[in-house]
Amino acid sequence: VQLQASGGGLVQAGGSLRLSCAALGRTFSNYYMGWFRQAPGKEREFVSSIWMNGGSTYYLDSVKGRFTISRDNAKNTIYLQMTGLKPEDTAVYYCATGPLPRSSYEFWGRGTQVTVSS
């Protein structure tokens, strides 16, 4: 199983980015796929997740209304559309998959760096 994340970059505050995560080697139809992030000197935190078999979504309170998670089951891929980016969103973003919406994630991809300049 391999999770391939892409789409990070450098953007000014208020800008947008879209992250993608493709799951290779396995179909996660009855799992959650989600995004976590880790800023320098901070613990990794949950950002958002989606139930691949029904579409229920979950968000960190600080990103609600700014980030939108979506899925393409045919491609076994999830997306994180990030708008209204703030400097505090700067972090390495990781995609992962597991049986629960906010914890117990089992498979992790390499991170993609998101940097928001002020």
Side-chain angles (χ1 to χ4, degrees):
V1 176
Q2 187 176 9
L3 300 177
Q4 292 185 338
S6 61
L10 172 64
V11 65
Q12 289 187 332
S16 301
L17 283 173
R18 188 175 85 150
L19 305 183
S20 301
C21 176
L24 307 177
R26 176 176 171 178
T27 299
F28 293 98
S29 59
N30 289 315
Y31 267 61
Y32 291 89
M33 288 187 70
W35 295 94
F36 289 72
R37 67 186 182 187
Q38 187 166 20
K42 295 186 178 181
E43 293 187 353
R44 185 170 59 193
E45 66 177 351
F46 167 83
V47 176
S48 181
S49 66
I50 188 165
W51 175 238
M52 296 300 285
N53 203 26
S56 297
T57 58
Y58 304 83
Y59 294 96
L60 177 69
D61 283 348
S62 63
V63 308
K64 284 181 181 177
R66 299 189 297 122
F67 291 9
T68 302
I69 192 169
S70 60
R71 76 192 197 281
D72 183 336
N73 287 75
K75 296 181 179 179
N76 221 18
T77 298
I78 61 169
Y79 305 94
L80 186 68
Q81 180 67 49
M82 305 185 292
T83 62
L85 283 162
K86 304 176 181 180
E88 51 264 42
D89 294 318
T90 295
V92 178
Y93 284 69
Y94 299 89
C95 68
T97 184
L100 298 175
R102 297 177 184 267
S103 62
S104 302
Y105 278 68
E106 300 174 345
F107 300 102
W108 293 83
R110 292 186 176 183
T112 184
Q113 177 71 47
V114 171
T115 302
V116 184
S117 62
S118 57

